[in-house]
Amino acid sequence: MHFQPVCEGQENKIPVRLSADRKSKNLLYIRYKNFSFTQLRKNISHLVKPEKLYFSYSELYHFCLSPRLPINFRCPTFSHLMKERLTMCFYFHFPKMTFSYFPSYLLSVLFFAFLNFPLYTQEISSSTNRNTSHSSEAPNVILIMLDDVGFGDLPCYGNKRIQTPNIHWLYENSIRMNNYHSSTISAQTSAALLTGRYPERMGVWRDAASRNILRFGEITLPEILKKHGYRTAVYGKWHLGNGELYRPEFRGFDDSLIIPAGGLGQISDWWGNTDHDPIMLHNGKQVRTRGNITKTLFQTAQKFALQKNEKPFFIYLPLTICAPPYRPTEKYLDHFRAENIPEETAKFYALLCEFDDSLGELLRNLQKNHILRNTVIILTSDNGSAHTSYNHLYSGAKGSLRESGHRVPFFISWQQKLHKKFNTDINRLVAHIDVTPTILDFCGIPTDHKLNARFDGVSFRPILLSGGESWYKRTLFMQPLETEKIQSPAGSLVMTDKFRLLNGQDLYDLQQDSRQNKEVTVQFPEEKKLLTKLYQKWHKEVILSEGARINPIYVTGDMTFSQKILFKDAVQKIAYETEKTPDLNTQQKILKKLLTQENKFPDKNKKSRSTSSEKTDPTKKSPNSQNTQKTTFSHTTLTCSDWRISPPLVFPEQILLFPPEIGFWDVEFLQEGTYEFTLRISPLPLKRPIPATHAVIYINEKSYRAPVPQNAADVKFRLKIPAGSIKIRASFLDKDRAFGAFFVLIQKISE
């Protein structure tokens, strides 16, 4: 074969044939800009040798001038090339470099440079203008992530007890990725969706215990989109770190309305928060919303989308629906109760119907305002469902490494480009780590080899356009951990199109046994040996080398918002250049250098010391009041849900009985100085008396002790703290017991 047509819309992609077998049809599409053959070999060397490549004609000149490998050209006639210039591919063979290849290589370079230079430069110029200006052709993107919804919950996959017409409309007007995989826990899925990286690599292992924190300095999807002219917003549950520098405003989002925790009413949320009139953070400021939370989130997203603004938008909707506890309105609940459906399942279905109503309203308003056609809409879930009554497809449920714990619905719709492929199913293996590269691909945003090297995922746009035919064999991994024991393969999962290897022991053939009833190690010993070897390599690189690092809670002292942004940008720059996020010692050096450059921090920015990004106590006196002799700055709240204990403390009910477990916090102080530590057993503004006689706080190995006044709700310590990493442990002592200080407020004091 001398050439092969490119799929429609693939003019700027390189299909790379990964197999030396001439009969293979597996293709991998990679962006061509700033592309390096060295990087290609690095990325796919563990699969096969990249011996056969196909390039579009318009990109020949670019690669001819890159003498990384010798090239032999086989091409059709000149007239045919000019006629099909943007839709043809050519066969390239890269043999071993020898002197005998040099003359033909040089002649090929000169010939194609002469042939293609004026056309190529004109095309690149127009392409560059299109990518940087982001005119009306750039698509909008809405990424919707449901909570705890699996295949068996939706009527479009066979559940006849529920009707969701708007979800069904999206089902029919989209491409369904039926072999798409999230993680088994929400925080991991969110981290992967926003970065294109394995969450384990970034220290995100679980839903709490400081292992849900997305590492500071990671380059996120909204940051990339924002730099290329997009407006960005997130509305829903955040769940990627409660500390200030982990909030959406430091992750590239222009607008946010969130609960900081993984669910309503959790310890790191506001106690008593429910689906109705919840307290939320709007751009870092505490607000009381009105009405149902799902409606509020959709209405806020709709308002953002309909703003009169020439810039395209990206909206991320990580919803709290349909996670327990289930608190639906009465609109649909009576209907399901009348069907003799179990109460919890009836509530779950009622919530799903409420989501369907909000989704329909959003779609209709986008259509009415002529926005829907050029909007990429993605609907998926964070993990599998706890309801298995209609789960006839796969075994397992929420939290399980079996298929239904992580194989979730994934619909992608874009009327302007994908309408010819609507209502089709694709069964090729993809995952949450592929979403960021795919969205960037759809938006026409160039990614150089350094950014591509950070991605663990790849764009699956090619299989959307080819109907799943052009793809390559791949192996995916996950290992959500409930403890700090990271040496064991327990809790691991290795996936290929055909096999699943669970916990490093049980091998299943999904193509023959979708419900994973029969273990097949005896039949496929070599496959198990290969997958085990691949897992060990992944585990060493991803978890032991990078993922084991602690993501501390930052205390920023009196830094201004602009200083924090500059600090974040500087850390990300090093992460981009070195392909590795700098450690805490390097971050301290970066900050010290920034703070000494006073010209970068105008005096006007120092007038506002608080970014209002932490929860505020409405009863607290103003720093300017007559009784205040010192200036205080915004406080950081440590909660016991960040203790690295197992099981973690997540819900208020767990700490009302004063459990004996006492954990510690890893804290990074960015500035030295005097800090006030306020120890409490309840969050602000609650005033729950402390049933103890003494309070103790440990700063690393040094302890400080103070009496607890009668009926006091808190105990305060003022201590000199150096800049750097500190382990903090706080507790209360009574005559016959000790229990933790479940909340510690840290605030810098200026003399």
Side-chain angles (χ1 to χ4, degrees):
M1 180 185 293
H2 297 289
F3 62 91
Q4 178 174 324
V6 182
C7 299
E8 182 181 357
Q10 295 294 315
E11 296 83 11
N12 291 335
K13 302 294 171 292
I14 307 170
V16 180
R17 187 176 290 278
L18 293 181
S19 174
D21 182 3
R22 292 181 179 275
K23 297 180 180 180
S24 174
K25 296 183 180 180
N26 297 320
L27 299 178
L28 165 67
Y29 290 81
I30 303 176
R31 286 185 179 279
Y32 74 89
K33 289 203 170 183
N34 300 316
F35 182 80
S36 162
F37 286 118
T38 303
Q39 189 63 41
L40 170 65
R41 288 187 178 277
K42 175 183 176 183
N43 288 345
I44 66 175
S45 60
H46 65 284
L47 297 175
V48 289
K49 295 180 179 179
E51 294 183 350
K52 293 177 179 154
L53 304 171
Y54 289 86
F55 297 90
S56 66
Y57 175 72
S58 60
E59 292 148 6
L60 288 179
Y61 176 68
H62 177 74
F63 287 100
C64 286
L65 295 185
S66 180
R68 300 178 184 270
L69 294 169
I71 302 175
N72 282 338
F73 295 95
R74 301 182 185 179
C75 55
T77 62
F78 173 81
S79 60
H80 188 79
L81 287 175
M82 296 304 293
K83 182 177 179 181
E84 299 292 336
R85 193 173 70 87
L86 295 179
T87 59
M88 302 306 297
C89 284
F90 303 90
Y91 174 88
F92 287 73
H93 177 64
F94 294 93
K96 197 172 184 179
M97 170 64 85
T98 62
F99 180 78
S100 61
Y101 282 105
F102 183 75
S104 62
Y105 172 69
L106 180 61
L107 289 175
S108 300
V109 169
L110 294 176
F111 171 73
F112 280 96
F114 170 77
L115 179 68
N116 202 46
F117 181 75
L119 295 173
Y120 178 81
T121 53
Q122 180 180 1
E123 179 176 312
I124 291 300
S125 175
S126 62
S127 175
T128 302
N129 292 336
R130 180 171 62 252
N131 287 334
T132 56
S133 64
H134 276 278
S135 62
S136 58
E137 295 182 359
N140 307 302
V141 181
I142 300 177
L143 173 56
I144 305 172
M145 184 178 73
L146 288 163
D147 201 342
D148 297 356
V149 175
F151 271 104
D153 300 322
L154 302 180
C156 44
Y157 287 107
N159 190 344
K160 299 180 180 180
R161 288 191 169 185
I162 182 173
Q163 298 298 321
T164 54
N166 297 300
I167 295 177
H168 195 78
W169 181 91
L170 190 61
Y171 171 89
E172 293 183 334
N173 289 271
S174 67
I175 301 174
R176 282 99 55 179
M177 310 299 292
N178 288 339
N179 199 2
Y180 166 86
H181 297 264
S182 67
S183 290
T184 60
I185 55 177
S186 173
Q188 279 201 327
T189 301
S190 294
L193 287 175
L194 292 180
T195 62
R197 312 188 82 199
Y198 280 117
E200 295 89 349
R201 186 188 295 277
M202 301 175 289
V204 182
W205 296 352
R206 41 200 307 203
D207 275 344
S210 289
R211 286 303 188 179
N212 63 303
I213 298 175
L214 177 61
R215 182 164 295 147
F216 180 70
E218 290 293 336
I219 300 171
T220 65
L221 172 62
E223 287 176 309
I224 300 171
L225 292 172
K226 190 174 179 179
K227 290 179 180 178
H228 288 82
Y230 272 75
R231 299 180 291 125
T232 59
V234 56
Y235 307 120
K237 66 172 185 178
W238 181 236
H239 207 192
L240 293 175
N242 193 36
E244 181 182 4
L245 293 187
Y246 297 122
R247 296 279 177 80
E249 50 266 36
F250 294 97
R251 299 295 195 181
F253 287 104
D254 297 316
D255 193 44
S256 63
L257 182 66
I258 63 163
I259 60 169
L264 287 162
Q266 293 182 2
I267 288 175
S268 53
D269 189 36
W270 286 270
W271 286 16
N273 242 8
T274 67
D275 301 75
H276 189 71
D277 296 347
I279 298 173
M280 305 185 74
L281 286 177
H282 182 221
N283 296 328
K285 297 181 180 180
Q286 178 180 323
V287 296
R288 168 75 74 175
T289 60
R290 299 300 178 192
N292 177 269
I293 184 173
T294 303
K295 289 185 177 180
T296 297
L297 295 175
F298 270 96
Q299 289 170 358
T300 307
Q302 180 178 303
K303 183 178 179 180
F304 184 83
L306 299 182
Q307 288 178 4
K308 293 183 178 180
N309 196 314
E310 295 182 355
K311 293 182 178 181
F313 60 79
F314 168 71
I315 298 175
Y316 177 42
L317 281 168
L319 303 174
T320 60
I321 201 170
C322 305
Y326 306 130
R327 293 177 288 245
T329 62
E330 297 296 324
K331 182 176 180 180
Y332 295 103
L333 188 55
D334 290 340
H335 166 74
F336 291 112
R337 282 173 173 166
E339 296 290 328
N340 294 322
I341 296 175
E343 182 68 12
E344 289 299 293
T345 304
K347 291 180 179 179
F348 176 83
Y349 287 164
L351 286 173
L352 199 54
C353 289
E354 291 177 13
F355 162 77
D356 187 73
D357 289 344
S358 295
L359 175 65
E361 183 180 354
L362 174 66
L363 294 174
R364 286 188 293 272
N365 278 283
L366 292 177
Q367 180 70 46
K368 180 180 178 181
N369 289 274
H370 311 289
I371 298 175
L372 182 61
R373 176 174 172 75
N374 196 30
T375 299
V376 177
I377 297 178
I378 297 174
L379 175 63
T380 186
S381 179
D382 61 347
N383 47 247
S385 172
H387 297 271
T388 60
S389 58
Y390 271 88
N391 186 8
H392 62 282
L393 299 173
Y394 307 104
S395 64
K398 175 183 177 179
S400 171
L401 289 175
R402 288 179 170 268
E403 206 71 358
S404 284
H406 46 86
R407 188 165 183 159
V408 296
F410 189 96
F411 307 157
I412 182 166
S413 176
W414 185 13
Q415 293 186 359
Q416 185 163 296
K417 295 292 185 179
L418 300 180
H419 63 279
K420 293 182 180 179
K421 301 291 183 179
F422 278 178
N423 204 22
T424 59
D425 297 304
I426 294 177
N427 296 309
R428 305 311 297 266
L429 182 65
V430 296
H432 46 23
I433 58 174
D434 302 322
V435 174
T436 281
T438 301
I439 289 176
L440 293 177
D441 198 354
F442 276 134
C443 296
I445 293 176
T447 55
D448 59 25
H449 71 276
K450 289 185 177 180
L451 188 57
N452 283 327
R454 291 187 65 83
F455 292 151
D456 291 308
V458 296
S459 170
F460 53 75
R461 177 185 175 183
I463 59 174
L464 296 176
L465 298 173
S466 67
E469 297 177 1
S470 300
W471 198 230
Y472 69 104
K473 296 179 180 179
R474 64 192 310 207
T475 304
L476 299 177
F477 309 85
M478 73 171 68
Q479 190 166 7
L481 298 170
E482 289 301 320
T483 69
E484 294 293 314
K485 297 179 181 180
I486 61 176
Q487 302 293 339
S488 170
S492 67
L493 174 66
V494 185
M495 297 184 288
T496 68
D497 278 308
K498 181 176 177 64
F499 293 105
R500 300 289 187 269
L501 179 62
L502 276 66
N503 300 309
Q505 297 179 349
D506 301 326
L507 184 69
Y508 297 97
D509 183 351
L510 260 290
Q511 293 182 355
Q512 301 299 323
D513 177 23
S514 64
R515 294 194 62 83
Q516 298 170 279
N517 292 320
K518 183 180 180 182
E519 208 276 339
V520 294
T521 297
V522 175
Q523 293 91 326
F524 301 98
E526 293 301 319
E527 282 73 8
K528 181 176 181 179
K529 184 177 179 180
L530 174 61
L531 294 182
T532 300
K533 185 177 180 180
L534 291 175
Y535 163 76
Q536 291 171 347
K537 181 181 178 180
W538 175 86
H539 182 266
K540 181 179 179 180
E541 174 194 341
V542 172
I543 294 185
L544 296 183
S545 177
E546 298 186 58
R549 290 172 50 191
I550 298 299
N551 297 331
I553 299 171
Y554 289 86
V555 176
T556 57
D558 62 353
M559 290 175 62
T560 64
F561 183 80
S562 60
Q563 288 174 331
K564 297 168 191 174
I565 292 294
L566 285 172
F567 174 51
K568 180 212 54 152
D569 291 343
V571 172
Q572 284 185 330
K573 182 178 180 181
I574 293 180
Y576 170 79
E577 294 292 339
T578 63
E579 299 182 6
K580 187 175 182 180
T581 306
D583 59 26
L584 297 176
N585 290 332
T586 304
Q587 291 181 25
Q588 287 285 353
K589 294 177 182 178
I590 294 171
L591 180 62
K592 185 177 180 180
K593 183 178 179 180
L594 287 174
L595 293 178
T596 57
Q597 300 173 354
E598 291 296 329
N599 58 320
K600 291 184 178 291
F601 309 123
D603 291 339
K604 63 181 180 179
N605 291 330
K606 296 182 181 181
K607 295 180 181 180
S608 176
R609 294 290 187 180
S610 174
T611 63
S612 300
S613 60
E614 299 289 347
K615 292 186 232 183
T616 58
D617 180 2
T619 66
K620 186 175 68 176
K621 293 183 179 180
S622 168
N624 297 322
S625 66
Q626 295 180 354
N627 294 332
T628 304
Q629 298 177 353
K630 303 185 180 198
T631 302
T632 59
F633 306 100
S634 60
H635 67 260
T636 299
T637 301
L638 309 180
T639 71
C640 58
S641 60
D642 285 322
W643 289 348
R644 293 211 312 277
I645 61 175
S646 186
L649 299 176
V650 177
F651 302 101
E653 295 81 4
Q654 292 176 272
I655 64 177
L656 292 178
L657 299 177
F658 301 102
E661 296 86 1
I662 303 175
F664 63 89
W665 294 277
D666 290 286
V667 182
E668 186 73 10
F669 285 83
L670 296 181
Q671 294 179 329
E672 65 177 357
T674 300
Y675 288 85
E676 183 175 78
F677 296 81
T678 304
L679 280 57
R680 300 174 58 90
I681 61 172
S682 60
L684 290 173
L686 300 179
K687 295 183 178 181
R688 188 183 176 199
I690 302 170
T693 58
H694 288 83
V696 181
I697 184 170
Y698 288 84
I699 305 297
N700 288 331
E701 298 300 324
K702 190 172 182 179
S703 65
Y704 301 87
R705 188 182 180 103
V708 178
Q710 187 175 5
N711 295 324
D714 57 49
V715 177
K716 299 180 184 295
F717 295 84
R718 285 190 178 178
L719 307 171
K720 290 277 189 179
I721 302 294
S725 301
I726 303 290
K727 286 188 181 296
I728 297 177
R729 187 173 185 267
S731 62
F732 294 106
L733 306 178
D734 204 0
K735 294 179 181 180
D736 55 352
R737 65 173 179 172
F739 54 90
F742 305 124
F743 301 86
V744 175
L745 281 60
I746 305 176
Q747 196 166 36
K748 190 177 183 184
I749 306 297
S750 178
E751 299 291 344

